[in-house]
Amino acid sequence: MMNTSNGVISAPSSSSANPQSPGIKTYFKTPEGKYKLHYEKTHPSGLLHYTHGKTVTQVTLAHLKDKPAPSTPTGTSSSYTASSGFRSATARLLGGGNGHRALSFVGSNGGTKNVGASSRIGASFAASSSSTSATNTNFDGRGTYLVFNVGDAIFISDLNSQDKDPVKSIHISNSNPMCHAFDPDAKDGHDLLIGLNSGDVYTVSLRQQLQDVGKKLVSAQHYNKDGSVNNSRCTSIAWVPGGDGSFVAAHADGNLYVYEKNKEGATDSSFSAIRDPTQFSVDKAKYSKSNPVARWHIGQGAINCIAFSNDGAYLATVGRDGYLRIFDFSTQKLVCGVKSYYGALLCCAWSMDGKYLLTGGEDDLVQVWSMEDRKVVAWGEGHNSWVSGVAFDSYWSSPNSEGSGENVMYRFGSVGQDTQLLLWDLEMDEIVVPLRRPPGGSPTYSTGSQSAHWDNIFPMGTLQPAPCMRDVPKLSPVVAHRVHTEPLSGLIFTQESLITACREGHLKIWTRPDTQSSSSEATNPTTSKPLLTSKVGSSS
């Protein structure tokens, strides 16, 4: 099943021209059936290869459901998002697609042409209704889209079209986009967040970008302009669930900033000096009108990925220092955390019920953290290189949970720089977790909750060392399949499919087995809320 012919394709343009890369199967088998490669997405072939190495492709899934009235081009979008990692998160889940074909979009394949001073963003925020802004009359205001970054550009593809090329490309002249997130509940239509290599952050309306035929951001709101608050790379970005427009941006210097999108006058903030770079600290802006409103100093080294639990109560961060940290977002306090077995952590994702948290990184392991027990309850072994994206599959129905109403098994996926996609089943009833190993004695085991026991060992707010390898149960993947020729950067589960992305900017959509998609439709109607908050991997 796994063919290691990594050097088959000499250039990415040949893989984008060829519908299927040599040496890679177009399907993989799971216990519930066969996943089949449906189609691929990629950036226009004119994009120069040397620009790719500056960024890692992340993917966001966005569902524009309602067509706004003509007089309100920035009307509210009812939508779902999915991250991996990616990102994302930053949850990027959605219900069923609406079956729309590709939009006939003017100038969608322009590659890197005509990217000059006129493409600069931030200087002018012309409304889309102005006479200078041409609109795409073929855009009907709805659809399901994949937003992904390659080099200095952001591309938007129609998920429900089999066209490989994106329907829209946006070029950013002075910096490269690094991360993005989509808000399902944006009241003012500004639903897409974009973080740049320069530290700058933009919010825009995805619908407006699709309506405009130009190749630059339109009607963007600009934060941290020219790195005025923080000029280090923006590594991960997320909307606060239920936060009414609040969002969080993480940076490569270990700082995280909380913004209020609707605050009048996005003025720069000044914060007091960080007293101890090794310790977590929160500082509020000195002036009430400032934006960002708060700075969280997480620790030394880059924050690689952030993810909110589905209810917005907890914020998880993983970083260069190898620590997973979980914060109570409302009280701004560290709840718990743990160090990786080795090296940096690159990605994280919550389960839909908030009970478990996945992390992956440079130790090639997928780590499962239990919020109830506040410890690592399993390690997934199977990747041969760094794990760059993790996500729970909230549309997968466990064969053991029929009628029980409670999840006894979880399905999750991971992708790595070894070009492999791994799927895992986590069945908690079958995992026996070693609790502790007394000096000179044999370990004690338990399958039940030990919250009170662990409170005594690790008080609230404690960062735990990496657990001993022999004390953590090991998981083996249900399936391991090489899905791309390049290292992978993220994955997203949707109701009908599984989406994988490689760091070079190629995406593949794998359809679920027929039996799986029909059963998941019954348990997860399209009207349900997104269940995951994960980001596509900045690391993901």
Side-chain angles (χ1 to χ4, degrees):
M1 183 179 288
M2 285 169 278
N3 185 329
T4 56
S5 54
N6 256 334
V8 172
I9 293 179
S10 57
S13 58
S14 60
S15 68
S16 61
N18 185 351
Q20 177 55 35
S21 308
I24 297 182
K25 289 184 179 180
T26 57
Y27 66 90
F28 55 89
K29 293 179 181 178
T30 65
E32 62 272 12
K34 187 184 290 186
Y35 283 73
K36 298 175 184 175
L37 178 63
H38 192 32
Y39 47 86
E40 299 182 41
K41 300 286 187 184
T42 186
H43 50 77
S45 57
L47 197 69
L48 297 176
H49 180 56
Y50 71 81
T51 63
H52 294 193
K54 299 178 183 177
T55 60
V56 172
T57 295
Q58 295 184 18
V59 181
T60 299
L61 191 62
H63 185 50
L64 293 177
K65 189 176 179 182
D66 298 328
K67 182 177 180 180
S71 59
T72 56
T74 60
T76 301
S77 61
S78 168
S79 25
Y80 301 98
T81 72
S83 152
S84 103
F86 302 131
R87 29 172 339 143
S88 223
T90 44
R92 297 164 183 171
L93 285 223
L94 93 148
N98 55 29
H100 278 246
R101 299 285 299 169
L103 309 171
S104 51
F105 204 92
V106 181
S108 62
N109 294 336
T112 52
K113 290 188 225 169
N114 302 327
V115 182
S118 62
S119 299
R120 290 171 193 234
I121 49 181
S124 62
F125 303 129
S128 65
S129 57
S130 78
S131 59
T132 58
S133 178
T135 58
N136 173 27
T137 54
N138 293 318
F139 174 60
D140 63 359
R142 57 188 293 171
T144 305
Y145 298 93
L146 291 169
V147 181
F148 61 102
N149 60 290
V150 184
D152 66 350
I154 284 194
F155 299 100
I156 306 170
S157 280
D158 185 348
L159 177 64
N160 298 310
S161 158
Q162 297 199 20
D163 285 357
K164 293 169 71 75
D165 284 339
V167 296
K168 174 77 173 179
S169 57
I170 302 168
H171 292 267
I172 297 174
S173 58
N174 294 330
S175 185
N176 288 352
M178 304 296 295
C179 50
H180 25 85
F182 188 77
D183 180 12
D185 303 309
K187 292 183 173 63
D188 62 353
H190 267 233
D191 45 20
L192 184 64
L193 271 174
I194 303 168
L196 304 186
N197 190 53
S198 58
D200 295 54
V201 173
Y202 290 92
T203 64
V204 296
S205 161
L206 177 61
R207 182 174 275 112
Q208 276 187 271
Q209 310 314 305
L210 287 164
Q211 288 171 332
D212 188 84
V213 298
K215 292 190 179 178
K216 59 182 179 179
L217 290 176
V218 292
S219 303
Q221 283 185 268
H222 198 168
Y223 304 87
N224 190 27
K225 189 173 183 179
D226 300 322
S228 57
V229 178
N230 189 315
N231 61 7
S232 69
R233 185 175 75 254
C234 185
T235 54
S236 187
I237 204 160
W239 295 101
V240 180
D244 198 25
S246 299
F247 63 89
V248 174
H251 289 264
D253 63 354
N255 287 312
L256 180 149
Y257 295 87
V258 182
Y259 291 85
E260 292 180 5
K261 178 178 67 170
N262 302 322
K263 198 161 199 177
E264 289 188 19
T267 55
D268 297 339
S269 293
S270 57
F271 297 96
S272 55
I274 296 170
R275 290 177 290 279
D276 185 351
T278 64
Q279 297 298 313
F280 169 63
S281 61
V282 177
D283 284 293
K284 293 184 178 178
K286 292 180 179 178
Y287 308 107
S288 59
K289 292 185 178 180
S290 296
N291 209 9
V293 297
R295 178 195 67 202
W296 294 26
H297 179 72
I298 306 295
Q300 292 180 299
I303 303 168
N304 289 328
C305 184
I306 59 176
F308 277 99
S309 59
N310 187 43
D311 58 4
Y314 296 106
L315 173 66
T317 70
V318 294
R320 174 69 252 171
D321 62 3
Y323 277 102
L324 160 69
R325 293 173 173 88
I326 300 166
F327 301 93
D328 183 310
F329 188 70
S330 61
T331 64
Q332 304 176 332
K333 290 184 178 177
L334 177 67
V335 176
C336 53
V338 67
K339 198 168 192 312
S340 66
Y341 185 69
Y342 169 81
L345 288 175
L346 303 175
C347 51
C348 59
W350 289 89
S351 64
M352 49 299 253
D353 54 13
K355 291 182 178 180
Y356 297 98
L357 187 65
L358 301 173
T359 64
E362 295 178 0
D363 54 12
D364 305 353
L365 298 170
V366 180
Q367 183 171 264
V368 184
W369 172 269
S370 166
M371 282 297 289
E372 187 177 37
D373 295 333
R374 293 225 296 274
K375 65 172 182 275
V376 177
V377 293
W379 270 337
E381 296 181 324
H383 281 288
N384 303 315
S385 187
W386 296 358
V387 179
S388 48
V390 288
F392 277 95
D393 182 357
S394 65
Y395 294 98
W396 181 79
S397 52
S398 165
N400 300 348
S401 61
E402 297 300 328
S404 68
E406 185 170 345
N407 265 327
V408 293
M409 185 187 289
Y410 297 78
R411 165 67 58 84
F412 61 90
S414 61
V415 293
Q417 298 195 14
D418 56 4
T419 71
Q420 287 195 107
L421 162 72
L422 272 57
L423 296 180
W424 314 77
D425 284 348
L426 179 69
E427 191 162 11
M428 294 316 298
D429 291 349
E430 294 186 0
I431 287 190
V432 179
V433 182
L435 284 183
R436 53 196 171 88
R437 190 178 292 271
S442 60
T444 57
Y445 295 89
S446 171
T447 54
S449 170
Q450 296 291 324
S451 297
H453 170 83
W454 282 94
D455 281 344
N456 297 332
I457 297 179
F458 296 108
M460 180 78 81
T462 302
L463 290 177
Q464 304 174 22
C468 198
M469 181 65 84
R470 64 191 174 187
D471 290 347
V472 180
K474 310 303 186 296
L475 292 177
S476 295
V478 176
V479 63
H481 183 65
R482 182 167 174 261
V483 289
H484 289 249
T485 56
E486 298 100 359
L488 299 174
S489 58
L491 77 162
I492 301 176
F493 291 99
T494 75
Q495 186 165 324
E496 290 86 15
S497 60
L498 164 61
I499 302 165
T500 56
C502 78
R503 59 184 302 136
E504 298 287 322
H506 305 295
L507 282 55
K508 292 186 180 182
I509 292 88
W510 307 81
T511 53
R512 292 181 182 271
D514 295 337
T515 55
Q516 188 62 32
S517 58
S518 60
S519 65
S520 64
E521 196 167 345
T523 56
N524 289 287
T526 56
T527 54
S528 66
K529 279 286 199 181
L531 301 175
L532 272 194
T533 309
S534 65
K535 167 182 164 297
V536 186
S538 87
S539 36
S540 239

